[in-house]
């Protein structure tokens, strides 16, 4: 299990560095399907991993040095994420796991379609 979790982190780190994604798009599905976690546990574990900003900090520093990071914008987004994560985690912990999983799938399909057509 340790190697699986490290591999999930590595994959999420590579994809987050390339696309700016990680938790919801990569880590949560990987924990649900590969580590067999319930959706709520996967979401909570993903959020906890993101609390340790080492991976994100290294990637963000690289983008900053290349002139591709707006610190003020990132700070504002982080404040919004903190408030949203509090509310979202409360909602998710009070939902049925199957409903949460299917809702996430719908979100992913809609976002993929939007990204595809522009």
């Amino acid at each position: 299990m340790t190697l699986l979790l490290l591999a999930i982190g590595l994959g999420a780190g590579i994809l987050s560095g390339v696309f700016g994604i990680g938790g919801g798009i990569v880590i949560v599905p990987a924990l649900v399907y590969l580590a067999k976690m319930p959706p709520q546990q996967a979401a909570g574990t993903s959020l906890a991993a993101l609390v340790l900003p080492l991976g994100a900090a290294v990637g963000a520093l690289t983008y900053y040095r290349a002139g591709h990071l707006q610190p003020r914008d990132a700070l504002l987004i982080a404040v919004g994420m903190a408030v949203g994560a509090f509310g979202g985690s409360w909602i998710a912990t009070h939902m049925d796991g199957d409903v949460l999983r299917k809702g996430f799938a719908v979100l992913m399909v809609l976002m993929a379609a939007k990204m595809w057509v522009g």
Side-chain angles (χ1 to χ4, degrees):
M1 183 66 117
T2 299
L3 289 177
L4 175 63
L5 295 174
L6 287 171
I8 289 170
L10 176 63
I14 291 169
L15 291 172
S16 70
V18 173
F19 298 114
I21 61 170
I25 295 174
V26 177
I27 297 172
V28 172
L31 291 175
V32 168
Y33 294 108
L34 300 176
K36 308 295 186 210
M37 284 186 186
Q40 292 92 337
Q41 184 178 351
T45 301
S46 175
L47 281 175
L50 296 173
V51 169
L52 306 171
L54 181 61
V58 170
L61 181 60
T62 301
Y63 278 101
Y64 180 77
R65 287 181 176 162
H68 299 295
L69 187 145
Q70 296 294 325
R72 179 184 176 277
D73 296 351
L75 180 61
L76 292 172
I77 291 168
V79 170
M81 284 178 63
V83 174
F86 176 77
S89 62
W90 185 89
I91 292 167
T93 58
H94 291 84
M95 288 180 74
D96 177 70
D98 285 338
V99 172
L100 183 61
R101 181 178 49 81
K102 290 174 183 175
F104 179 73
V106 169
L107 174 66
M108 295 300 298
V109 168
L110 291 174
M111 295 308 295
K114 177 62 179 160
M115 292 294 291
W116 188 263
V117 298

